[in-house]
Amino acid sequence: MKKFQAWSAKWWDEEGVYSALHAMNDIRVPFVRDILMSKSDHHDVGCPLSGVKILDVGCGGGLLSEPLGRLGAAVTGIDPLEDNIRTAILHKSEDPVLDKLIQYKPCTLEEIVEQNIESFDAIVASEVVEHVNDLESFIQSSFQVLKPGGSLFITTINKTKISYILGIVLAEKIMSIVPEGTHDWDKFIPPEELERLLESNGFVVDTLRGMLYNPLMGSWSWFDDTSVNYAVHASKTVRQEQTSDIDFEKEQDSPKAAEAST
Ligand SMILES: C[S@@+](CC[C@H](N)C(=O)[O-])C[C@H]1O[C@@H](n2cnc3c(N)ncnc32)[C@H](O)[C@@H]1O
C-alpha cells in the first residue's frame, strides 16, 4: 500500500508510472464490454452497458471505471487508499456524465460485503489480485456481492520464471516500465490455481486468455500464451450443495417425512 500511496497523484499521467495500465484499456475494456453484452438481449446503441452495475475493486485513480462509465455502466469504484480515491473523484468530476454514473469509496471489498449482498452484475479486479494477501477471502467476498449469474473479470500475472524475468527484472529493474517494488513475485498466481480457487468457491470459469505487452509500442494484444499476463472471466453459479442442503432440510420438515419417522 505504501508503494501505491507514493504514486497516488500520478494515475492520469498517460506517459507516467501507470502508462501500461492506460494502454491496457485498449483490450480490457472491449473484453468486459463484449462479455457483458453477450449476457443480455437489450442494448442501448450509444450506451451498451446502460443499467449494468459494476464494482471496480482496487480502482486506483479510476482508469478502468471511467471507460466503463462512458459505456453507460453504473460503476462503484473502491480502493483502500484514500489518496487514490481522491484522485479518482477529482478526475471524474471534470465530466458531468461520469460524475453521475460513477461513485468512489475508500474501502476494501470485505468492508462493503454486508451492505451489498447480491448487488452487482459484474466485478472487475484488474491488476489487483497480485497485491491481495488473502485471495480466497477476496473471491468469497466477490461471490457474495455478485448477483447470481454475475461476472467476475480478473487480469493478473502468472507465477513463472518468465514472468519474473519480464515482469520484475525487465519491467521494474531494466526498463522502468513500472517503478521498482511494484510487484512481489510470491504473490503472482498461476491461472490453474486461480481457476481452482474460483471453481471451489462457486464460480464457473469460461474464459482464460493470455495478454502480451509490447514495451516498445506501449501496446497490449491478446496472446495464446498465459505464462506472463492473463485475463479471466468467471460467472457466479448457484451452488448445488446449498440447493440440495435446503431441499434436504425441507424434506425433513415435511408432513411426509414426519409420517415416515413415526
Ligand atoms: C496496479 S493498481 C490497479 C489499479 C486499477 N485496477 C487499474 O487497473 O487501473 C492496484 C490497485 O490495487 C489496490 N490494492 C492493493 N491492495 C488491495 C487490496 N487488498 N484490495 C483492494 N485493492 C487493493 C491499490 O491501492 C491499487 O490502487
Side-chain angles (χ1 to χ4, degrees):
M1 298 311 292
K2 277 189 196 149
K3 300 171 292 199
F4 290 112
Q5 176 73 50
W7 312 317
S8 61
K10 303 191 174 186
W11 286 99
W12 290 95
D13 174 0
E14 288 189 36
E15 309 297 321
V17 285
Y18 292 120
S19 59
L21 290 179
H22 279 271
M24 196 188 280
N25 278 353
D26 289 347
I27 61 169
R28 65 184 172 174
V29 175
F31 179 65
V32 172
R33 179 199 61 200
D34 294 349
I35 289 180
L36 291 179
M37 283 178 72
S38 73
K39 286 182 147 187
S40 150
D41 296 333
H42 170 78
H43 308 294
D44 182 333
V45 180
C47 288
L49 299 187
S50 171
V52 179
K53 280 184 73 184
I54 300 181
L55 179 66
D56 182 0
V57 182
C59 63
L63 303 194
L64 182 53
S65 298
E66 287 204 10
L68 294 174
R70 253 181 227 110
L71 292 170
V75 183
T76 301
I78 60 169
D79 197 286
L81 261 183
E82 272 189 38
D83 283 349
N84 284 347
I85 293 297
R86 227 169 268 137
T87 301
I89 291 174
L90 185 68
H91 198 268
K92 70 145 184 169
S93 69
E94 291 166 14
D95 180 332
V97 177
L98 288 184
D99 208 20
K100 277 199 193 133
L101 278 169
I102 304 176
Q103 50 167 327
Y104 291 116
K105 289 181 192 153
C107 58
T108 64
L109 176 57
E110 286 79 0
E111 281 163 4
I112 63 156
V113 169
E114 280 196 9
Q115 302 81 48
N116 290 280
I117 299 289
E118 299 198 343
S119 294
F120 294 96
D121 299 293
I123 295 178
V124 291
S126 187
E127 306 305 296
V128 171
V129 298
E130 65 272 24
H131 303 287
V132 165
N133 285 329
D134 184 346
L135 186 53
E136 183 148 30
S137 145
F138 183 93
I139 289 170
Q140 287 165 349
S141 299
S142 300
F143 183 90
Q144 286 179 282
V145 300
L146 273 177
K147 294 178 188 172
S151 285
L152 173 59
F153 297 92
I154 291 175
T155 69
T156 191
I157 310 176
N158 199 342
K159 193 173 188 176
T160 55
K161 277 186 195 150
I162 184 86
S163 75
Y164 180 78
I165 293 166
L166 295 182
I168 295 187
V169 179
L170 192 74
E172 293 189 11
K173 298 182 197 292
I174 298 177
M175 294 190 76
S176 303
I177 297 166
V178 289
E180 205 164 335
T182 302
H183 293 116
D184 172 358
W185 188 80
D186 286 336
K187 283 194 177 162
F188 289 0
I189 176 157
E192 316 78 66
E193 198 178 321
L194 181 58
E195 229 172 308
R196 187 191 55 73
L197 269 177
L198 286 165
E199 301 215 327
S200 59
N201 285 286
F203 287 92
V204 171
V205 174
D206 56 38
T207 312
L208 168 65
R209 297 177 82 176
M211 299 160 72
L212 181 69
Y213 183 60
N214 178 335
L216 301 175
M217 304 295 288
S219 63
W220 289 87
S221 51
W222 295 114
F223 193 46
D224 278 344
D225 187 283
T226 56
S227 60
V228 184
N229 297 86
Y230 63 96
V232 167
H233 169 253
S235 296
K236 170 174 171 170
T237 60
V238 177
R239 288 191 213 209
Q240 282 304 305
E241 327 84 81
Q242 277 186 356
T243 317
S244 51
D245 281 347
I246 292 163
D247 287 343
F248 179 68
E249 276 167 27
K250 272 191 198 148
E251 251 170 48
Q252 299 258 307
D253 292 343
S254 73
K256 261 192 182 171
E259 219 172 83
S261 67
T262 51

